[in-house]
Amino acid sequence: EAQVTQNPRYLITVTGKKLTVTCSQNMNHEYMSWYRQDPGLGLRQIYYSMNVEVTDKGDVPEGYKVSRKEKRNFPLILESPSPNQTSLYFCASSFRQGTTGELFFGEGSRLTVL
Amino acid sequence: AQSVTQLDSQVPVFEEAPVELRCNYSSSVSVYLFWYVQYPNQGLQLLLKYLSGSTLVESINGFEAEFNKSQTSFHLRKPSVHISDTAEYFCAVIEGTGRRALTFGSGTRLQVQP
């Protein structure tokens, strides 16, 4: 089954404790992206990757890091989480950026930073 | 830069009634337009898209949207809603040039009541 898998789905952590949210897709997609969803703000792009070893900032990259060492994986790293990073995070992928706009989304990771 | 406005954050409606979810965009170049749906506790799924050609596009579950270039709108309609249509709906736009990343609106929560 074609899917985007995120882990963990739910996480409560404390300020400053490094964490990683993993994302994996099995569709051989070139393009992957991370979004955060906050009430009243919709989805905002954090980082994206056009292909292996190619990453770039989205609209709200501060406080986040990413890497793309393999085509299928695109982890999101919070080196020193803060309460304003409490949010619902989505990983998404598509065959290629922009052409049709059809993104395939994971089920989301709800993060709470105390 | 592109932007998307969804004026209604919530739309309550009774089952079998018609509904319209409004979406307006702003862009200085040609755009592609999309509606995504998010059911409770799930990621987003593509509902329908306008890339070119006929300005009226339809989904498999009875929704339709019409691209109106002069009014820069892409409103989503359904003549008769079901309880199962209860979800959050996001309008999104991608410009034909530049970074070509999807920009999402803030979302409209459709609440279908029996």
Side-chain angles (χ1 to χ4, degrees):
Chain A
E1 180 188 355
Q3 59 186 4
V4 178
T5 303
Q6 298 178 224
N7 280 296
R9 294 288 312 281
Y10 302 91
L11 179 63
I12 300 174
T13 190
V14 295
T15 299
K17 186 176 181 181
K18 179 180 178 180
L19 67 91
T20 299
V21 186
T22 64
C23 173
S24 180
Q25 50 92 7
N26 62 0
M27 295 170 279
N28 201 35
H29 283 167
E30 292 181 354
Y31 179 82
M32 297 185 74
S33 180
W34 276 102
Y35 290 86
R36 60 177 289 173
Q37 181 181 11
D38 301 290
L41 297 177
L43 277 80
R44 295 178 291 169
Q45 190 180 51
I46 303 171
Y47 268 95
Y48 65 98
S49 170
M50 301 276 283
N51 214 324
V52 176
E53 303 291 1
V54 181
T55 63
D56 208 346
K57 297 178 180 178
D59 298 314
V60 288
E62 294 77 21
Y64 304 95
K65 286 176 58 177
V66 293
S67 67
R68 188 91 181 272
K69 293 181 169 51
E70 305 166 282
K71 197 171 188 177
R72 64 184 292 127
N73 296 323
F74 190 45
L76 179 70
I77 303 158
L78 285 73
E79 293 272 3
S80 182
S82 61
N84 64 10
Q85 292 178 296
T86 292
S87 188
L88 179 58
Y89 292 87
F90 287 100
C91 181
S93 72
S94 68
F95 177 66
R96 192 179 297 121
Q97 181 194 24
T99 308
T100 66
E102 181 169 5
L103 288 171
F104 294 83
F105 282 82
E107 293 188 315
S109 297
R110 186 168 293 281
L111 171 65
T112 301
V113 183
L114 303 176
Chain B
Q2 64 201 30
S3 66
V4 180
T5 302
Q6 294 181 247
L7 289 172
D8 306 305
S9 59
Q10 292 188 68
V11 174
V13 63
F14 288 107
E15 195 172 17
E16 298 184 6
V19 71
E20 178 180 83
L21 307 184
R22 296 180 292 170
C23 172
N24 288 89
Y25 69 92
S26 173
S27 175
S28 58
V29 299
S30 62
V31 296
Y32 304 136
L33 295 155
F34 309 85
W35 277 98
Y36 279 80
V37 58
Q38 184 182 28
Y39 297 106
N41 298 314
Q42 295 185 25
L44 281 72
Q45 305 170 36
L46 181 66
L47 184 62
L48 48 75
K49 62 185 178 184
Y50 169 77
L51 302 181
S52 64
S54 173
T55 57
L56 183 65
V57 291
E58 299 177 352
S59 72
I60 58 173
N61 58 350
F63 282 94
E64 65 179 30
E66 186 161 19
F67 170 53
N68 188 320
K69 188 175 181 180
S70 62
Q71 298 188 4
T72 60
S73 68
F74 192 55
H75 301 329
L76 182 69
R77 302 183 182 96
K78 189 170 185 180
S80 176
V81 295
H82 302 290
I83 295 286
S84 60
D85 293 323
T86 295
E88 188 148 20
Y89 293 80
F90 292 92
C91 183
V93 62
I94 189 167
E95 291 184 329
T97 58
R99 196 181 94 196
R100 306 189 73 188
L102 270 175
T103 297
F104 287 88
S106 55
T108 298
R109 185 170 299 278
L110 177 63
Q111 298 167 307
V112 182
Q113 303 163 359

